[in-house]
Amino acid sequence: MQGISCDNISKSYENGKKALDGIGFSFGERGIISVIGRNGAGKTTLTRILATELMPNSGHAEIDGIDVVADPGPIRERIAIVPQESRPIGWLTCKQAVVTYLLYRGYGYSEASSRAMESLRKIGIDQYANTLSRKLSGGTKRKLTIATVLASDAKIIFLDEPTTGLDPISRNELWGMLEHLKKDYLIFLTTHYLEEAERLADKIAIMEMGRLLAFGTMDELRKKVRYEYAIRIGDRKRPRCKLKEGAYVTGSDGTEQIFTSKAEAFTISQQLIKEGTSFSSNPLSLEDIFYYIVKMRLSEDYGEK
Amino acid sequence: MERNRFSQVIASILVNSLYALENYPITLINSLLAPISIIIVIFFVSRGSLIGVAIEGGLLTAMISSGTSLQMDVSHFKNDFKIQDMVVSSPTTQFTYMSGMALSEIVDTLPALLVLGVLALLFVHPTLVQALVLLFVMLMMFVFSASLGFLFSTFTTDIIESRAFLGIFGLLLTTIPPIYYPITYIPKPFQYLAYLSPTTYAAEIVQNSIGYLQLTPLNLGVDYAVVIVAAFGLLLISYKHAVWREN
């Protein structure tokens, strides 16, 4: 198939740490697939395996129908990666940084030069073409790394935590850029920012301790939680109302929440108004889903609450 | 699309040498001064008598330093900029990337080689055969030290570690072995220690060629054998053990 597919991918490191445990999913040829998870969940390991940098111990993965393990050559023609914590080389200007990458990909100098300028323009940083990259702000450096890979002919782009450490404005600018780019590219995006995945991704993979806990669109993930709405109680006290349908959940910030159906959310809201309890009622966010799914798995595995 | 292998080699030369030189010209002065400084010391200490051997030692040192510098540059690109990760996931092969990086070190050393070459013409007056012997030994020492550099670059995880290795290599390969002066200048027990480094054998070949040492044909043969085995042996080890796609 076109796009990315994985089947039962596992990876253990020499120190015995199991980084991936039976990962399987598939995703089409355009759009954004976002992988979320805590530190050490296995996001970067999965990215590096798919980007042909790291060998898995077992399992099968394909990009555009080509085996990632057995035949990395043709895959490397189609992919490009911005690794986690990568940064432009400080002694190169922006244009030189992009040109160099394109030469590595086998372009002639004049074509590399014109593509570099075109890509810098597309990302909106062409005014820095002749500026040393060490003089750029953090956000512009990030944009430069993305402009670098987009200048190539790769149609599958791996971005490993591209917005980590950016201020909210720069992050928003990058999100706008990625939203625009996803029409033409398949972007494999790992992130710690749940709102980033929720806003940008067509499909989201939730990982924890090397396992894929859930995969799907936001609607599909909501179905995994069984409920569609979250009612957040303002004063952190559990209300007295009886639930016909739903569950009490303690949120990531310690607030009491009720996960329930859309119809039941309406009934509970009326009761809370009568009680004079302050609350808010919204469709489940990715943050709600993430904490619910990860906590459920931890409590299943380790009895954690 | 048709990939241009030549462009892929040029990329490393640009990023590691020419663009650095263009944007930070001070690197040129450092590149020129480094091999000349010891020659000046030897010139003063020997009252000029060892100038020829010191110049040829400077040429050898320039090539060895080029090779060992690879270790630091490759690991800097890999660990600090993640350039190697980007290149692994691109149509560039390991061989092309490493060849480009190796050539970039030579390009970086060219100004120094040029100055040392002119000094050699002025003070050594080498014959064509002597020049060819020198070029061959320089090439072998570059293959040896570059292979050593590549091998260690795959294991180093931080610039601090790379810098330490670079210092150790410099000490063991060019400072302690008798490269700038004949081996007969150091006491007997230390000569045996000097023979632990392949660079000693390389220096002996060159010093014999220009008349500072008189080696028997057997000793000269052993020197050539050691130099060739060290260069290609380490190249093979480096090629087999250097990590491109990680396991």
Side-chain angles (χ1 to χ4, degrees):
Chain A
M1 67 166 276
Q2 298 294 297
I4 298 175
S5 69
C6 297
D7 182 25
N8 209 21
I9 290 282
S10 293
K11 174 73 188 173
S12 295
Y13 289 108
E14 281 176 4
N15 60 10
K17 191 197 168 207
K18 193 154 199 172
L20 294 180
D21 187 2
I23 302 291
F25 65 85
S26 61
F27 187 75
E29 60 185 311
R30 281 197 187 85
I32 295 182
I33 171 175
S34 184
V35 182
I36 58 174
R38 299 194 294 173
N39 290 327
K43 303 185 295 294
T44 296
T45 301
L46 178 61
T47 307
R48 298 190 75 223
I49 286 173
L50 292 173
T52 72
E53 290 171 19
L54 183 67
M55 295 287 275
N57 297 123
S58 60
H60 183 78
E62 287 184 357
I63 287 182
D64 282 355
I66 305 164
D67 191 323
V68 166
V69 174
D71 205 6
I75 291 176
R76 289 171 179 159
E77 302 271 341
R78 296 153 201 245
I79 65 169
I81 184 171
V82 176
Q84 194 183 129
E85 293 174 5
S86 70
R87 58 194 169 99
I89 294 174
W91 64 83
L92 303 185
T93 65
C94 293
K95 189 180 170 192
Q96 288 170 344
V98 184
V99 165
T100 308
Y101 178 71
L102 292 178
L103 293 176
Y104 274 127
R105 292 194 70 96
Y107 288 91
Y109 185 82
S110 60
E111 193 182 353
S113 202
S114 62
R115 286 186 84 110
M117 280 313 294
E118 192 187 317
S119 186
L120 292 173
R121 237 188 322 271
K122 198 165 151 188
I123 302 298
I125 54 169
D126 51 320
Q127 68 272 34
Y128 301 114
N130 297 313
T131 305
L132 287 179
S133 67
R134 69 172 177 80
K135 294 181 179 169
L136 304 174
S137 67
T140 313
K141 279 181 186 164
R142 274 286 158 194
K143 284 181 188 169
L144 174 57
T145 57
I146 293 172
T148 301
V149 292
L150 290 179
S152 73
D153 53 337
K155 286 292 171 197
I156 299 171
I157 311 286
F158 293 88
L159 302 176
D160 196 358
E161 298 182 13
T163 55
T164 299
L166 290 187
D167 66 77
I169 293 172
S170 301
R171 199 183 305 156
N172 249 300
E173 283 176 5
L174 264 176
W175 288 352
M177 231 169 64
L178 294 175
E179 269 175 334
H180 181 69
L181 291 169
K182 75 176 189 177
K183 292 168 204 150
D184 300 319
Y185 293 88
L186 191 173
I187 298 173
F188 187 96
L189 172 79
T190 72
T191 182
H192 283 299
Y193 300 112
L194 302 179
E195 71 271 32
E196 179 170 304
E198 186 167 357
R199 175 171 156 180
L200 299 175
D202 299 292
K203 287 204 173 183
I204 296 164
I206 299 178
M207 289 184 68
E208 171 67 15
M209 298 169 86
R211 283 174 292 182
L212 183 65
L213 302 188
F215 178 71
T217 62
M218 272 301 289
D219 284 342
E220 286 165 350
L221 293 179
R222 280 193 188 103
K223 280 177 192 153
K224 291 203 187 291
V225 185
R226 280 181 43 215
Y227 307 111
E228 301 155 278
Y229 265 70
I231 299 172
R232 285 176 184 75
I233 313 298
D235 58 7
R236 296 195 175 211
K237 279 186 201 157
R238 185 166 285 195
R240 283 168 295 176
C241 54
K242 273 196 168 179
L243 299 181
K244 278 187 202 158
E245 189 186 3
Y248 282 105
V249 177
T250 306
S252 57
D253 56 356
T255 54
E256 284 293 336
Q257 298 181 56
I258 300 167
F259 285 5
T260 187
S261 66
K262 194 173 179 179
E264 182 69 0
F266 183 70
T267 313
I268 294 169
S269 298
Q270 284 179 321
Q271 286 180 41
L272 292 172
I273 291 168
K274 273 186 200 166
E275 281 177 22
T277 306
S278 62
F279 70 96
S280 65
S281 178
N282 296 96
L284 283 187
S285 68
L286 182 58
E287 189 171 334
D288 298 323
I289 296 166
F290 178 77
Y291 277 96
Y292 184 83
I293 289 176
V294 171
K295 273 195 163 183
M296 283 281 285
R297 177 50 72 99
L298 288 176
S299 64
E300 277 171 21
D301 288 358
Y302 304 106
E304 286 186 27
K305 289 187 180 172
Chain B
M1 72 172 263
E2 191 70 25
R3 308 282 172 186
N4 185 336
R5 294 279 167 220
F6 183 65
S7 289
Q8 293 173 334
V9 171
I10 292 293
S12 291
I13 296 173
L14 282 174
V15 73
N16 197 36
S17 178
L18 297 181
Y19 282 151
L21 211 62
E22 181 186 334
N23 298 330
Y24 290 90
I26 189 75
T27 54
L28 176 65
I29 304 204
N30 175 53
S31 161
L32 281 172
L33 285 181
I36 294 169
S37 53
I38 299 182
I39 295 173
I40 293 169
V41 173
I42 300 285
F43 177 76
F44 288 137
V45 170
S46 70
R47 295 175 195 276
S49 65
L50 290 178
I51 185 66
V53 85
I55 290 167
E56 303 228 339
L59 282 163
L60 279 183
T61 300
M63 295 305 279
I64 293 163
S65 302
S66 290
T68 53
S69 296
L70 259 182
Q71 182 265 143
M72 191 151 133
D73 291 339
V74 171
S75 57
H76 191 33
F77 282 7
K78 178 178 66 126
N79 299 321
D80 301 324
F81 299 113
K82 311 290 176 192
I83 296 295
Q84 195 166 311
D85 282 352
M86 293 177 79
V87 175
V88 170
S89 300
S90 82
T92 306
T93 62
Q94 177 178 12
F95 181 76
T96 311
Y97 178 68
M98 292 308 187
S99 305
M101 288 300 288
L103 282 175
S104 77
E105 300 293 345
I106 301 250
V107 170
D108 223 24
T109 313
L110 271 182
L113 290 176
L114 209 66
V115 171
L116 289 167
V118 170
L119 288 176
L121 284 176
L122 291 174
F123 291 98
V124 184
H125 313 294
T127 62
L128 181 64
V129 174
Q130 287 170 339
L132 288 174
V133 167
L134 177 64
L135 284 174
F136 172 77
V137 175
M138 284 166 68
L139 181 69
M140 287 299 106
M141 282 300 95
F142 180 70
V143 172
F144 166 76
S145 57
S147 305
L148 190 71
F150 283 141
L151 191 62
F152 275 77
S153 72
T154 64
F155 304 130
T156 50
T157 53
D158 196 277
I159 190 80
I160 299 290
E161 203 182 5
S162 309
R163 207 179 292 150
F165 277 126
L166 190 65
I168 293 166
F169 291 152
L171 196 72
L172 295 180
L173 297 178
T174 60
T175 309
I176 295 175
I179 286 184
Y180 288 92
Y181 46 86
I183 194 164
T184 48
Y185 278 54
I186 52 177
K188 199 77 181 172
F190 295 102
Q191 286 186 17
Y192 296 117
L193 278 177
Y195 280 119
L196 292 175
S197 169
T199 51
T200 300
Y201 301 87
E204 276 193 350
I205 295 171
V206 173
Q207 290 165 12
N208 177 71
S209 160
I210 57 172
Y212 279 86
L213 269 183
Q214 268 75 47
L215 295 176
T216 63
L218 178 67
N219 282 344
L220 189 61
V222 169
D223 283 358
Y224 271 108
V226 170
V227 163
I228 292 168
V229 168
F232 289 105
L234 207 60
L235 182 66
L236 193 70
I237 292 170
S238 154
Y239 191 74
K240 287 206 161 186
H241 291 274
V243 182
W244 187 242
R245 188 183 196 182
E246 291 173 38
N247 283 309

